[in-house]
Amino acid sequence: IGNPPIDFTGYEQYLTNGYFTFSNSDVFTSTASHLFSYPLLEGQEFILTSGLSDELCESIPPVSEEFDAPVLGKLPNGEWLVWSPSILLEDNGPSINAPANDIASATLEDGGGAAVILTNEKLKCANVPRTFVNEDTCVLSTLSTACKASELLSVDVEMSTENVKKF
């Protein structure tokens, strides 16, 4: 199992979105992972650890869509790379490994609101209402990107001694 080699040598002019050209000064870490329960062979997955500042970066959308053009790169030895987007799962719940005073440390401060904005509402909010199950880890966010109810509810509450005591 492995990725098939790709080679666009001689066809670069047809790559309308351009491609990254890496030099010997760019530092990659070759790694292997168990994506989709299939082990990849060493050398089939690369991580660019030296960072990248290239004008072409501006043309890559922050969120990859199904039919977006591939993002390609050419190594100094002539080998080609293609970027494969992956899903990044965010922690958003109590951490059983955290100390009791920091149990809510793994919650999204804005309930996923920044991701909703970034994806033009393709992703949805990840927050839930406070219940007896999560009352110890439920956190009120004051961030401007925080998810909130789409409509405000109006409720009339009688100002009685009994209701004030309940509150």
Side-chain angles (χ1 to χ4, degrees):
I1 295 177
N3 294 319
I6 57 171
D7 190 359
F8 294 104
T9 306
Y11 297 94
E12 291 90 347
Q13 70 273 17
Y14 300 110
L15 300 175
T16 56
N17 291 333
Y19 59 92
F20 293 97
T21 303
F22 298 106
S23 68
N24 287 323
S25 63
D26 292 310
V27 180
F28 284 90
T29 297
S30 176
T31 184
S33 69
H34 295 284
L35 186 64
F36 306 117
S37 301
Y38 297 108
L40 290 176
L41 303 174
E42 183 72 29
Q44 297 249 331
E45 189 171 294
F46 292 87
I47 299 173
L48 179 63
T49 59
S50 62
L52 184 63
S53 59
D54 189 304
E55 293 177 8
L56 196 54
C57 293
E58 298 300 320
S59 68
I60 298 173
V63 177
S64 180
E65 297 288 335
E66 184 176 1
F67 297 107
D68 284 351
V71 178
L72 303 170
K74 190 174 185 181
L75 297 174
N77 65 1
E79 286 184 278
W80 287 85
L81 303 175
V82 62
W83 175 67
S84 299
S86 58
I87 295 174
L88 175 63
L89 299 176
E90 299 279 359
D91 288 333
N92 190 28
S95 174
I96 60 171
N97 297 318
N101 64 342
D102 202 21
I103 198 166
S105 64
T107 56
L108 296 173
E109 286 186 272
D110 65 355
V116 173
I117 294 166
L118 181 66
T119 62
N120 200 22
E121 297 186 5
K122 289 185 180 178
L123 291 180
K124 303 300 178 198
C125 288
N127 55 355
V128 296
R130 182 182 293 239
T131 67
F132 71 93
V133 176
N134 67 6
E135 67 185 354
D136 293 336
T137 59
C138 193
V139 179
L140 176 65
S141 177
T142 58
L143 297 176
S144 62
T145 58
C147 289
K148 50 191 160 282
S150 57
E151 61 183 71
L152 296 176
L153 300 176
S154 177
V155 178
D156 291 329
V157 178
E158 181 185 340
M159 292 302 292
S160 67
T161 306
E162 185 178 324
N163 284 342
V164 172
K165 286 180 182 178
K166 287 180 183 178
F167 182 70

